[in-house]
PDB file of all heavy atoms in Angstrom:
ATOM      1  N   ARG A  60      20.033 -26.580   3.399  1.00  0.00           N
ATOM      2  CA  ARG A  60      18.609 -26.664   3.104  1.00  0.00           C
ATOM      3  C   ARG A  60      18.126 -28.108   3.210  1.00  0.00           C
ATOM      4  O   ARG A  60      17.045 -28.399   3.707  1.00  0.00           O
ATOM      5  CB  ARG A  60      18.330 -26.143   1.687  1.00  0.00           C
ATOM      6  CG  ARG A  60      18.696 -24.689   1.468  1.00  0.00           C
ATOM      7  CD  ARG A  60      17.758 -23.769   2.180  1.00  0.00           C
ATOM      8  NE  ARG A  60      17.974 -22.390   1.775  1.00  0.00           N
ATOM      9  CZ  ARG A  60      17.481 -21.347   2.412  1.00  0.00           C
ATOM     10  NH1 ARG A  60      16.756 -21.528   3.496  1.00  0.00           N
ATOM     11  NH2 ARG A  60      17.718 -20.124   1.989  1.00  0.00           N
ATOM     12  N   LEU A  62      19.461 -30.485   4.993  1.00  0.00           N
ATOM     13  CA  LEU A  62      19.521 -30.963   6.370  1.00  0.00           C
ATOM     14  C   LEU A  62      18.295 -30.549   7.170  1.00  0.00           C
ATOM     15  O   LEU A  62      17.954 -31.176   8.174  1.00  0.00           O
ATOM     16  CB  LEU A  62      20.784 -30.430   7.053  1.00  0.00           C
ATOM     17  CG  LEU A  62      22.107 -31.047   6.572  1.00  0.00           C
ATOM     18  CD1 LEU A  62      23.282 -30.359   7.246  1.00  0.00           C
ATOM     19  CD2 LEU A  62      22.135 -32.543   6.868  1.00  0.00           C
ATOM     20  N   ARG A  63      17.607 -29.479   6.715  1.00  0.00           N
ATOM     21  CA  ARG A  63      16.418 -29.044   7.437  1.00  0.00           C
ATOM     22  C   ARG A  63      15.304 -30.081   7.388  1.00  0.00           C
ATOM     23  O   ARG A  63      14.358 -30.024   8.171  1.00  0.00           O
ATOM     24  CB  ARG A  63      15.906 -27.729   6.849  1.00  0.00           C
ATOM     25  CG  ARG A  63      16.802 -26.548   7.174  1.00  0.00           C
ATOM     26  CD  ARG A  63      16.209 -25.266   6.653  1.00  0.00           C
ATOM     27  NE  ARG A  63      17.064 -24.128   6.940  1.00  0.00           N
ATOM     28  CZ  ARG A  63      16.753 -22.875   6.645  1.00  0.00           C
ATOM     29  NH1 ARG A  63      15.613 -22.608   6.072  1.00  0.00           N
ATOM     30  NH2 ARG A  63      17.591 -21.896   6.926  1.00  0.00           N
ATOM     31  N   ARG A  64      15.396 -30.989   6.463  1.00  0.00           N
ATOM     32  CA  ARG A  64      14.372 -32.014   6.365  1.00  0.00           C
ATOM     33  C   ARG A  64      14.558 -33.122   7.398  1.00  0.00           C
ATOM     34  O   ARG A  64      13.698 -33.977   7.559  1.00  0.00           O
ATOM     35  CB  ARG A  64      14.372 -32.611   4.949  1.00  0.00           C
ATOM     36  CG  ARG A  64      14.055 -31.577   3.874  1.00  0.00           C
ATOM     37  CD  ARG A  64      14.114 -32.188   2.490  1.00  0.00           C
ATOM     38  NE  ARG A  64      13.854 -31.193   1.471  1.00  0.00           N
ATOM     39  CZ  ARG A  64      12.641 -30.865   1.031  1.00  0.00           C
ATOM     40  NH1 ARG A  64      11.593 -31.466   1.532  1.00  0.00           N
ATOM     41  NH2 ARG A  64      12.493 -29.950   0.100  1.00  0.00           N
ATOM     42  N   ILE A  65      15.712 -33.128   8.085  1.00  0.00           N
ATOM     43  CA  ILE A  65      15.952 -34.135   9.111  1.00  0.00           C
ATOM     44  C   ILE A  65      15.098 -33.813  10.332  1.00  0.00           C
ATOM     45  O   ILE A  65      14.995 -32.663  10.751  1.00  0.00           O
ATOM     46  CB  ILE A  65      17.445 -34.154   9.500  1.00  0.00           C
ATOM     47  CG1 ILE A  65      18.292 -34.530   8.275  1.00  0.00           C
ATOM     48  CG2 ILE A  65      17.693 -35.115  10.655  1.00  0.00           C
ATOM     49  CD1 ILE A  65      19.776 -34.475   8.529  1.00  0.00           C
ATOM     50  N   PRO A  66      14.450 -34.820  10.935  1.00  0.00           N
ATOM     51  CA  PRO A  66      13.617 -34.562  12.129  1.00  0.00           C
ATOM     52  C   PRO A  66      14.394 -33.776  13.180  1.00  0.00           C
ATOM     53  O   PRO A  66      15.553 -34.055  13.469  1.00  0.00           O
ATOM     54  CB  PRO A  66      13.277 -35.972  12.615  1.00  0.00           C
ATOM     55  CG  PRO A  66      13.335 -36.809  11.379  1.00  0.00           C
ATOM     56  CD  PRO A  66      14.435 -36.233  10.535  1.00  0.00           C
ATOM     57  N   ASN A  67      13.722 -32.778  13.756  1.00  0.00           N
ATOM     58  CA  ASN A  67      14.418 -31.891  14.696  1.00  0.00           C
ATOM     59  C   ASN A  67      13.724 -31.868  16.053  1.00  0.00           C
ATOM     60  O   ASN A  67      13.577 -30.825  16.677  1.00  0.00           O
ATOM     61  CB  ASN A  67      14.502 -30.480  14.117  1.00  0.00           C
ATOM     62  CG  ASN A  67      13.129 -29.946  13.746  1.00  0.00           C
ATOM     63  OD1 ASN A  67      12.124 -30.611  13.980  1.00  0.00           O
ATOM     64  ND2 ASN A  67      13.077 -28.769  13.181  1.00  0.00           N
ATOM     65  N   ALA A  68      13.285 -33.014  16.514  1.00  0.00           N
ATOM     66  CA  ALA A  68      12.542 -33.075  17.775  1.00  0.00           C
ATOM     67  C   ALA A  68      13.373 -32.565  18.949  1.00  0.00           C
ATOM     68  O   ALA A  68      12.861 -31.894  19.849  1.00  0.00           O
ATOM     69  CB  ALA A  68      12.100 -34.513  18.039  1.00  0.00           C
ATOM     70  N   ARG A  70      15.843 -30.308  18.921  1.00  0.00           N
ATOM     71  CA  ARG A  70      15.951 -28.848  18.867  1.00  0.00           C
ATOM     72  C   ARG A  70      14.641 -28.189  19.282  1.00  0.00           C
ATOM     73  O   ARG A  70      14.630 -27.187  19.992  1.00  0.00           O
ATOM     74  CB  ARG A  70      16.334 -28.415  17.449  1.00  0.00           C
ATOM     75  CG  ARG A  70      16.559 -26.921  17.307  1.00  0.00           C
ATOM     76  CD  ARG A  70      17.335 -26.623  16.046  1.00  0.00           C
ATOM     77  NE  ARG A  70      16.609 -27.054  14.861  1.00  0.00           N
ATOM     78  CZ  ARG A  70      15.779 -26.265  14.181  1.00  0.00           C
ATOM     79  NH1 ARG A  70      15.585 -25.026  14.587  1.00  0.00           N
ATOM     80  NH2 ARG A  70      15.166 -26.706  13.104  1.00  0.00           N
ATOM     81  N   GLN A  71      13.526 -28.768  18.865  1.00  0.00           N
ATOM     82  CA  GLN A  71      12.228 -28.220  19.240  1.00  0.00           C
ATOM     83  C   GLN A  71      12.025 -28.287  20.751  1.00  0.00           C
ATOM     84  O   GLN A  71      11.526 -27.348  21.374  1.00  0.00           O
ATOM     85  CB  GLN A  71      11.109 -28.997  18.527  1.00  0.00           C
ATOM     86  CG  GLN A  71      11.070 -28.801  17.026  1.00  0.00           C
ATOM     87  CD  GLN A  71      10.447 -27.473  16.655  1.00  0.00           C
ATOM     88  OE1 GLN A  71      10.061 -26.706  17.521  1.00  0.00           O
ATOM     89  NE2 GLN A  71      10.375 -27.193  15.368  1.00  0.00           N
ATOM     90  N   LYS A  74      14.009 -25.586  22.523  1.00  0.00           N
ATOM     91  CA  LYS A  74      13.427 -24.257  22.348  1.00  0.00           C
ATOM     92  C   LYS A  74      12.177 -24.080  23.192  1.00  0.00           C
ATOM     93  O   LYS A  74      11.906 -23.001  23.710  1.00  0.00           O
ATOM     94  CB  LYS A  74      13.118 -24.014  20.873  1.00  0.00           C
ATOM     95  CG  LYS A  74      14.368 -23.798  20.034  1.00  0.00           C
ATOM     96  CD  LYS A  74      14.014 -23.576  18.586  1.00  0.00           C
ATOM     97  CE  LYS A  74      15.284 -23.352  17.766  1.00  0.00           C
ATOM     98  NZ  LYS A  74      14.989 -23.175  16.345  1.00  0.00           N
ATOM     99  N   ARG A  75      11.390 -25.141  23.323  1.00  0.00           N
ATOM    100  CA  ARG A  75      10.194 -25.036  24.153  1.00  0.00           C
ATOM    101  C   ARG A  75      10.562 -24.827  25.622  1.00  0.00           C
ATOM    102  O   ARG A  75       9.849 -24.178  26.378  1.00  0.00           O
ATOM    103  CB  ARG A  75       9.352 -26.308  24.018  1.00  0.00           C
ATOM    104  CG  ARG A  75       8.639 -26.453  22.689  1.00  0.00           C
ATOM    105  CD  ARG A  75       7.646 -27.611  22.741  1.00  0.00           C
ATOM    106  NE  ARG A  75       6.968 -27.786  21.476  1.00  0.00           N
ATOM    107  CZ  ARG A  75       7.331 -28.667  20.553  1.00  0.00           C
ATOM    108  NH1 ARG A  75       8.358 -29.466  20.790  1.00  0.00           N
ATOM    109  NH2 ARG A  75       6.675 -28.764  19.418  1.00  0.00           N
ATOM    110  N   LYS A  79      14.120 -18.946  22.922  1.00  0.00           N
ATOM    111  CA  LYS A  79      15.122 -18.466  21.971  1.00  0.00           C
ATOM    112  C   LYS A  79      14.847 -17.015  21.640  1.00  0.00           C
ATOM    113  O   LYS A  79      13.720 -16.647  21.351  1.00  0.00           O
ATOM    114  CB  LYS A  79      15.052 -19.305  20.692  1.00  0.00           C
ATOM    115  CG  LYS A  79      15.927 -18.791  19.567  1.00  0.00           C
ATOM    116  CD  LYS A  79      15.674 -19.580  18.301  1.00  0.00           C
ATOM    117  CE  LYS A  79      16.442 -18.992  17.140  1.00  0.00           C
ATOM    118  NZ  LYS A  79      16.143 -19.667  15.877  1.00  0.00           N
ATOM    119  N   LEU A 180      -0.452 -22.075  14.053  1.00  0.00           N
ATOM    120  CA  LEU A 180      -0.264 -20.669  13.696  1.00  0.00           C
ATOM    121  C   LEU A 180      -0.579 -20.478  12.221  1.00  0.00           C
ATOM    122  O   LEU A 180      -0.066 -21.200  11.367  1.00  0.00           O
ATOM    123  CB  LEU A 180       1.180 -20.247  13.985  1.00  0.00           C
ATOM    124  CG  LEU A 180       1.570 -18.815  13.600  1.00  0.00           C
ATOM    125  CD1 LEU A 180       0.799 -17.799  14.446  1.00  0.00           C
ATOM    126  CD2 LEU A 180       3.080 -18.616  13.766  1.00  0.00           C
ATOM    127  N   TRP A 190       6.891 -11.247  10.331  1.00  0.00           N
ATOM    128  CA  TRP A 190       7.556 -12.539  10.493  1.00  0.00           C
ATOM    129  C   TRP A 190       8.641 -12.501  11.562  1.00  0.00           C
ATOM    130  O   TRP A 190       8.924 -13.510  12.209  1.00  0.00           O
ATOM    131  CB  TRP A 190       8.139 -13.012   9.170  1.00  0.00           C
ATOM    132  CG  TRP A 190       8.666 -14.415   9.255  1.00  0.00           C
ATOM    133  CD1 TRP A 190       9.960 -14.828   9.185  1.00  0.00           C
ATOM    134  CD2 TRP A 190       7.891 -15.603   9.459  1.00  0.00           C
ATOM    135  NE1 TRP A 190      10.052 -16.189   9.328  1.00  0.00           N
ATOM    136  CE2 TRP A 190       8.792 -16.693   9.501  1.00  0.00           C
ATOM    137  CE3 TRP A 190       6.529 -15.842   9.613  1.00  0.00           C
ATOM    138  CZ2 TRP A 190       8.367 -18.002   9.686  1.00  0.00           C
ATOM    139  CZ3 TRP A 190       6.102 -17.149   9.797  1.00  0.00           C
ATOM    140  CH2 TRP A 190       7.015 -18.209   9.832  1.00  0.00           C
ATOM    141  N   LYS A 194       7.798 -15.731  13.785  1.00  0.00           N
ATOM    142  CA  LYS A 194       8.650 -16.906  13.593  1.00  0.00           C
ATOM    143  C   LYS A 194       8.972 -17.612  14.907  1.00  0.00           C
ATOM    144  O   LYS A 194       9.248 -18.815  14.914  1.00  0.00           O
ATOM    145  CB  LYS A 194       9.940 -16.514  12.880  1.00  0.00           C
ATOM    146  CG  LYS A 194      10.866 -15.609  13.673  1.00  0.00           C
ATOM    147  CD  LYS A 194      12.070 -15.230  12.826  1.00  0.00           C
ATOM    148  CE  LYS A 194      13.029 -14.325  13.577  1.00  0.00           C
ATOM    149  NZ  LYS A 194      14.169 -13.917  12.721  1.00  0.00           N
ATOM    150  N   LEU A 196       6.818 -18.157  17.349  1.00  0.00           N
ATOM    151  CA  LEU A 196       5.702 -19.078  17.542  1.00  0.00           C
ATOM    152  C   LEU A 196       5.777 -20.222  16.542  1.00  0.00           C
ATOM    153  O   LEU A 196       5.388 -21.355  16.851  1.00  0.00           O
ATOM    154  CB  LEU A 196       4.373 -18.333  17.386  1.00  0.00           C
ATOM    155  CG  LEU A 196       4.038 -17.314  18.483  1.00  0.00           C
ATOM    156  CD1 LEU A 196       2.780 -16.538  18.117  1.00  0.00           C
ATOM    157  CD2 LEU A 196       3.863 -17.998  19.827  1.00  0.00           C
ATOM    158  N   ALA A 197       6.273 -19.945  15.345  1.00  0.00           N
ATOM    159  CA  ALA A 197       6.374 -20.984  14.319  1.00  0.00           C
ATOM    160  C   ALA A 197       7.315 -22.106  14.734  1.00  0.00           C
ATOM    161  O   ALA A 197       7.199 -23.235  14.247  1.00  0.00           O
ATOM    162  CB  ALA A 197       6.835 -20.369  12.997  1.00  0.00           C
ATOM    163  N   GLU A 198       8.254 -21.802  15.631  1.00  0.00           N
ATOM    164  CA  GLU A 198       9.163 -22.836  16.119  1.00  0.00           C
ATOM    165  C   GLU A 198       8.466 -23.802  17.070  1.00  0.00           C
ATOM    166  O   GLU A 198       8.970 -24.895  17.340  1.00  0.00           O
ATOM    167  CB  GLU A 198      10.353 -22.192  16.848  1.00  0.00           C
ATOM    168  CG  GLU A 198      11.264 -21.363  15.962  1.00  0.00           C
ATOM    169  CD  GLU A 198      12.127 -22.227  15.060  1.00  0.00           C
ATOM    170  OE1 GLU A 198      12.131 -23.459  15.249  1.00  0.00           O
ATOM    171  OE2 GLU A 198      12.791 -21.676  14.168  1.00  0.00           O
ATOM    172  N   LEU A 199       7.303 -23.420  17.583  1.00  0.00           N
ATOM    173  CA  LEU A 199       6.645 -24.203  18.622  1.00  0.00           C
ATOM    174  C   LEU A 199       5.458 -25.021  18.138  1.00  0.00           C
ATOM    175  O   LEU A 199       4.983 -25.893  18.862  1.00  0.00           O
ATOM    176  CB  LEU A 199       6.156 -23.267  19.741  1.00  0.00           C
ATOM    177  CG  LEU A 199       7.205 -22.363  20.386  1.00  0.00           C
ATOM    178  CD1 LEU A 199       6.545 -21.457  21.409  1.00  0.00           C
ATOM    179  CD2 LEU A 199       8.298 -23.199  21.036  1.00  0.00           C
ATOM    180  N   MET A 200       4.952 -24.743  16.961  1.00  0.00           N
ATOM    181  CA  MET A 200       3.693 -25.366  16.551  1.00  0.00           C
ATOM    182  C   MET A 200       3.606 -25.458  15.033  1.00  0.00           C
ATOM    183  O   MET A 200       4.342 -24.760  14.321  1.00  0.00           O
ATOM    184  CB  MET A 200       2.513 -24.547  17.085  1.00  0.00           C
ATOM    185  CG  MET A 200       2.434 -23.135  16.528  1.00  0.00           C
ATOM    186  SD  MET A 200       1.258 -22.077  17.415  1.00  0.00           S
ATOM    187  CE  MET A 200       2.159 -21.777  18.949  1.00  0.00           C
ATOM    188  N   PRO A 201       2.724 -26.310  14.516  1.00  0.00           N
ATOM    189  CA  PRO A 201       2.502 -26.353  13.064  1.00  0.00           C
ATOM    190  C   PRO A 201       2.117 -24.967  12.547  1.00  0.00           C
ATOM    191  O   PRO A 201       1.303 -24.274  13.158  1.00  0.00           O
ATOM    192  CB  PRO A 201       1.345 -27.347  12.915  1.00  0.00           C
ATOM    193  CG  PRO A 201       1.432 -28.212  14.131  1.00  0.00           C
ATOM    194  CD  PRO A 201       1.906 -27.305  15.235  1.00  0.00           C
ATOM    195  N   THR A 202       2.717 -24.585  11.426  1.00  0.00           N
ATOM    196  CA  THR A 202       2.537 -23.226  10.911  1.00  0.00           C
ATOM    197  C   THR A 202       2.151 -23.259   9.440  1.00  0.00           C
ATOM    198  O   THR A 202       2.693 -24.041   8.657  1.00  0.00           O
ATOM    199  CB  THR A 202       3.828 -22.406  11.100  1.00  0.00           C
ATOM    200  OG1 THR A 202       4.132 -22.329  12.500  1.00  0.00           O
ATOM    201  CG2 THR A 202       3.677 -21.003  10.547  1.00  0.00           C
ATOM    202  N   HIS A 203       1.212 -22.384   9.097  1.00  0.00           N
ATOM    203  CA  HIS A 203       0.716 -22.285   7.726  1.00  0.00           C
ATOM    204  C   HIS A 203       0.783 -20.810   7.324  1.00  0.00           C
ATOM    205  O   HIS A 203       0.253 -19.953   8.030  1.00  0.00           O
ATOM    206  CB  HIS A 203      -0.718 -22.802   7.632  1.00  0.00           C
ATOM    207  CG  HIS A 203      -0.953 -24.034   8.461  1.00  0.00           C
ATOM    208  ND1 HIS A 203      -0.626 -25.301   8.024  1.00  0.00           N
ATOM    209  CD2 HIS A 203      -1.447 -24.185   9.727  1.00  0.00           C
ATOM    210  CE1 HIS A 203      -0.927 -26.182   8.973  1.00  0.00           C
ATOM    211  NE2 HIS A 203      -1.418 -25.533  10.012  1.00  0.00           N
ATOM    212  N   VAL A 204       1.423 -20.528   6.198  1.00  0.00           N
ATOM    213  CA  VAL A 204       1.640 -19.146   5.780  1.00  0.00           C
ATOM    214  C   VAL A 204       1.002 -18.919   4.415  1.00  0.00           C
ATOM    215  O   VAL A 204       1.263 -19.668   3.472  1.00  0.00           O
ATOM    216  CB  VAL A 204       3.147 -18.821   5.723  1.00  0.00           C
ATOM    217  CG1 VAL A 204       3.361 -17.402   5.221  1.00  0.00           C
ATOM    218  CG2 VAL A 204       3.781 -18.988   7.107  1.00  0.00           C
ATOM    219  N   THR A 246      13.325 -17.776   3.338  1.00  0.00           N
ATOM    220  CA  THR A 246      13.435 -18.543   4.580  1.00  0.00           C
ATOM    221  C   THR A 246      12.172 -19.363   4.836  1.00  0.00           C
ATOM    222  O   THR A 246      12.235 -20.543   5.200  1.00  0.00           O
ATOM    223  CB  THR A 246      13.680 -17.594   5.767  1.00  0.00           C
ATOM    224  OG1 THR A 246      14.902 -16.882   5.546  1.00  0.00           O
ATOM    225  CG2 THR A 246      13.775 -18.363   7.069  1.00  0.00           C
ATOM    226  N   ILE A 247      11.016 -18.739   4.639  1.00  0.00           N
ATOM    227  CA  ILE A 247       9.745 -19.423   4.895  1.00  0.00           C
ATOM    228  C   ILE A 247       9.534 -20.568   3.908  1.00  0.00           C
ATOM    229  O   ILE A 247       9.239 -21.702   4.293  1.00  0.00           O
ATOM    230  CB  ILE A 247       8.574 -18.425   4.803  1.00  0.00           C
ATOM    231  CG1 ILE A 247       8.655 -17.400   5.943  1.00  0.00           C
ATOM    232  CG2 ILE A 247       7.231 -19.153   4.841  1.00  0.00           C
ATOM    233  CD1 ILE A 247       7.658 -16.266   5.817  1.00  0.00           C
ATOM    234  N   MET A 248       9.698 -20.271   2.627  1.00  0.00           N
ATOM    235  CA  MET A 248       9.372 -21.266   1.607  1.00  0.00           C
ATOM    236  C   MET A 248      10.344 -22.438   1.596  1.00  0.00           C
ATOM    237  O   MET A 248       9.984 -23.549   1.207  1.00  0.00           O
ATOM    238  CB  MET A 248       9.319 -20.600   0.232  1.00  0.00           C
ATOM    239  CG  MET A 248       8.134 -19.660   0.078  1.00  0.00           C
ATOM    240  SD  MET A 248       7.781 -19.199  -1.632  1.00  0.00           S
ATOM    241  CE  MET A 248       9.176 -18.177  -2.013  1.00  0.00           C
ATOM    242  N   ALA A 249      11.574 -22.214   2.034  1.00  0.00           N
ATOM    243  CA  ALA A 249      12.563 -23.296   2.040  1.00  0.00           C
ATOM    244  C   ALA A 249      12.398 -24.229   3.233  1.00  0.00           C
ATOM    245  O   ALA A 249      12.991 -25.312   3.250  1.00  0.00           O
ATOM    246  CB  ALA A 249      13.972 -22.709   2.038  1.00  0.00           C
ATOM    247  N   ASP A 250      11.595 -23.842   4.213  1.00  0.00           N
ATOM    248  CA  ASP A 250      11.428 -24.640   5.429  1.00  0.00           C
ATOM    249  C   ASP A 250      10.320 -25.676   5.217  1.00  0.00           C
ATOM    250  O   ASP A 250       9.145 -25.318   5.095  1.00  0.00           O
ATOM    251  CB  ASP A 250      11.068 -23.728   6.603  1.00  0.00           C
ATOM    252  CG  ASP A 250      11.169 -24.442   7.941  1.00  0.00           C
ATOM    253  OD1 ASP A 250      11.044 -25.688   7.958  1.00  0.00           O
ATOM    254  OD2 ASP A 250      11.373 -23.766   8.964  1.00  0.00           O
ATOM    255  N   PRO A 251      10.645 -26.962   5.175  1.00  0.00           N
ATOM    256  CA  PRO A 251       9.622 -27.987   4.917  1.00  0.00           C
ATOM    257  C   PRO A 251       8.622 -28.142   6.054  1.00  0.00           C
ATOM    258  O   PRO A 251       7.574 -28.770   5.878  1.00  0.00           O
ATOM    259  CB  PRO A 251      10.451 -29.264   4.730  1.00  0.00           C
ATOM    260  CG  PRO A 251      11.716 -29.014   5.487  1.00  0.00           C
ATOM    261  CD  PRO A 251      11.990 -27.543   5.340  1.00  0.00           C
ATOM    262  N   ARG A 252       8.915 -27.560   7.219  1.00  0.00           N
ATOM    263  CA  ARG A 252       7.972 -27.649   8.338  1.00  0.00           C
ATOM    264  C   ARG A 252       6.823 -26.665   8.193  1.00  0.00           C
ATOM    265  O   ARG A 252       5.808 -26.776   8.887  1.00  0.00           O
ATOM    266  CB  ARG A 252       8.705 -27.370   9.654  1.00  0.00           C
ATOM    267  CG  ARG A 252       9.812 -28.361   9.990  1.00  0.00           C
ATOM    268  CD  ARG A 252      10.650 -27.833  11.137  1.00  0.00           C
ATOM    269  NE  ARG A 252      11.286 -26.566  10.781  1.00  0.00           N
ATOM    270  CZ  ARG A 252      11.879 -25.760  11.653  1.00  0.00           C
ATOM    271  NH1 ARG A 252      11.888 -26.073  12.938  1.00  0.00           N
ATOM    272  NH2 ARG A 252      12.457 -24.641  11.248  1.00  0.00           N
ATOM    273  N   ILE A 253       6.976 -25.694   7.310  1.00  0.00           N
ATOM    274  CA  ILE A 253       5.959 -24.658   7.137  1.00  0.00           C
ATOM    275  C   ILE A 253       5.171 -24.925   5.858  1.00  0.00           C
ATOM    276  O   ILE A 253       5.756 -25.087   4.783  1.00  0.00           O
ATOM    277  CB  ILE A 253       6.606 -23.260   7.067  1.00  0.00           C
ATOM    278  CG1 ILE A 253       7.336 -22.952   8.378  1.00  0.00           C
ATOM    279  CG2 ILE A 253       5.561 -22.195   6.777  1.00  0.00           C
ATOM    280  CD1 ILE A 253       8.092 -21.634   8.361  1.00  0.00           C
ATOM    281  N   ASN A 254       3.857 -24.980   5.975  1.00  0.00           N
ATOM    282  CA  ASN A 254       3.005 -25.094   4.796  1.00  0.00           C
ATOM    283  C   ASN A 254       2.873 -23.715   4.158  1.00  0.00           C
ATOM    284  O   ASN A 254       2.345 -22.789   4.778  1.00  0.00           O
ATOM    285  CB  ASN A 254       1.622 -25.621   5.177  1.00  0.00           C
ATOM    286  CG  ASN A 254       1.656 -27.089   5.552  1.00  0.00           C
ATOM    287  OD1 ASN A 254       2.253 -27.901   4.855  1.00  0.00           O
ATOM    288  ND2 ASN A 254       1.026 -27.431   6.664  1.00  0.00           N
ATOM    289  N   THR A 255       3.370 -23.584   2.945  1.00  0.00           N
ATOM    290  CA  THR A 255       3.267 -22.320   2.227  1.00  0.00           C
ATOM    291  C   THR A 255       2.067 -22.398   1.294  1.00  0.00           C
ATOM    292  O   THR A 255       2.010 -23.262   0.419  1.00  0.00           O
ATOM    293  CB  THR A 255       4.536 -22.035   1.412  1.00  0.00           C
ATOM    294  OG1 THR A 255       5.681 -22.158   2.268  1.00  0.00           O
ATOM    295  CG2 THR A 255       4.500 -20.633   0.842  1.00  0.00           C
ATOM    296  N   ALA A 275       9.156 -25.530  -0.433  1.00  0.00           N
ATOM    297  CA  ALA A 275       9.364 -26.928  -0.047  1.00  0.00           C
ATOM    298  C   ALA A 275       8.047 -27.653   0.177  1.00  0.00           C
ATOM    299  O   ALA A 275       7.923 -28.842  -0.125  1.00  0.00           O
ATOM    300  CB  ALA A 275      10.225 -26.989   1.219  1.00  0.00           C
ATOM    301  N   THR A 276       7.057 -26.943   0.733  1.00  0.00           N
ATOM    302  CA  THR A 276       5.763 -27.564   1.030  1.00  0.00           C
ATOM    303  C   THR A 276       4.649 -26.657   0.514  1.00  0.00           C
ATOM    304  O   THR A 276       3.946 -26.002   1.290  1.00  0.00           O
ATOM    305  CB  THR A 276       5.600 -27.788   2.551  1.00  0.00           C
ATOM    306  OG1 THR A 276       6.811 -28.319   3.087  1.00  0.00           O
ATOM    307  CG2 THR A 276       4.462 -28.759   2.843  1.00  0.00           C
ATOM    308  N   HIS A 278       1.106 -25.345  -1.320  1.00  0.00           N
ATOM    309  CA  HIS A 278      -0.301 -25.687  -1.518  1.00  0.00           C
ATOM    310  C   HIS A 278      -0.962 -24.516  -2.229  1.00  0.00           C
ATOM    311  O   HIS A 278      -0.579 -23.362  -2.018  1.00  0.00           O
ATOM    312  CB  HIS A 278      -1.015 -25.941  -0.185  1.00  0.00           C
ATOM    313  CG  HIS A 278      -0.375 -26.990   0.658  1.00  0.00           C
ATOM    314  ND1 HIS A 278      -0.679 -28.330   0.556  1.00  0.00           N
ATOM    315  CD2 HIS A 278       0.584 -26.901   1.620  1.00  0.00           C
ATOM    316  CE1 HIS A 278       0.047 -29.021   1.421  1.00  0.00           C
ATOM    317  NE2 HIS A 278       0.828 -28.179   2.076  1.00  0.00           N
TER     318      HIS A 278
END
Side-chain angles (χ1 to χ4, degrees):
R60 298 289 190 194
L62 289 176
R63 289 184 181 183
R64 298 178 182 273
I65 298 176
N67 55 3
R70 184 162 61 92
Q71 292 282 1
K74 288 179 180 178
R75 288 190 181 97
K79 173 187 175 184
L180 177 65
W190 188 248
K194 66 183 180 182
L196 291 173
E198 294 286 351
L199 305 177
M200 63 192 73
T202 299
H203 320 278
V204 177
T246 300
I247 293 172
M248 291 195 291
D250 192 335
R252 298 168 299 168
I253 298 176
N254 288 313
T255 308
T276 316
H278 304 272

